[in-house]
Amino acid sequence: MDKLKKIISLLILVPLGIVLIVLAVANRQMAILALNPFRPEDSVLSVSAPFFVFLFLAVLIGMVIGSAATWWSQGKYRKQARAEAREAVKWQKEHQAVLAGRPGSQQLPAK
């Protein structure tokens, strides 16, 4: 199973790496990101970098925002799992206490 994971990750990561390298080489020209919408020529609020840097940052920021949104939306399921885990521990402790109180009794009481 571990070998299969390595093969699958290589089949995904190697082509992805090649695409990223080609993208970086094709977009080496300098680009200016102007952060002042009223005066774009203002050099104080502008960043100059190769275009692929902006592309990679946009993808990275999108991944972070998507991960945060997924984590936030699944919060109710994590809360439910914690509550059920606490309840399971409580029931297990009660069961152990019942078994400790009745030596030789390994079965549940009859109805």
Side-chain angles (χ1 to χ4, degrees):
M1 190 67 157
D2 208 26
K3 195 171 191 173
L4 182 64
K5 274 186 172 180
K6 286 183 181 181
I7 291 172
I8 291 174
S9 66
L10 280 176
L11 287 175
I12 293 172
L13 293 178
V14 169
L16 182 64
I18 291 171
V19 167
L20 289 177
I21 290 171
V22 169
L23 186 67
V25 169
N27 293 294
R28 291 179 305 199
Q29 66 272 15
M30 294 299 282
I32 298 173
L33 176 65
L35 300 173
N36 187 351
F38 303 110
R39 286 191 41 203
E41 67 277 355
D42 187 11
S43 63
V44 174
L45 292 174
S46 64
V47 179
S48 178
F51 187 63
F52 72 89
V53 171
F54 295 126
L55 290 176
F56 290 166
L57 282 175
V59 169
L60 205 92
I61 290 169
M63 288 172 49
V64 168
I65 291 172
S67 298
T70 301
W71 181 80
W72 184 268
S73 68
Q74 293 175 350
K76 59 184 172 186
Y77 301 113
R78 288 192 308 276
K79 183 178 179 182
Q80 181 181 0
R82 284 191 303 269
E84 289 176 0
R86 283 191 298 268
E87 187 176 347
V89 167
K90 182 183 85 169
W91 282 62
Q92 187 177 18
K93 286 180 182 177
E94 286 179 10
H95 182 67
Q96 293 298 327
V98 167
L99 289 180
R102 289 194 232 163
S105 172
Q106 296 295 322
Q107 296 178 356
L108 293 174
K111 289 185 180 181

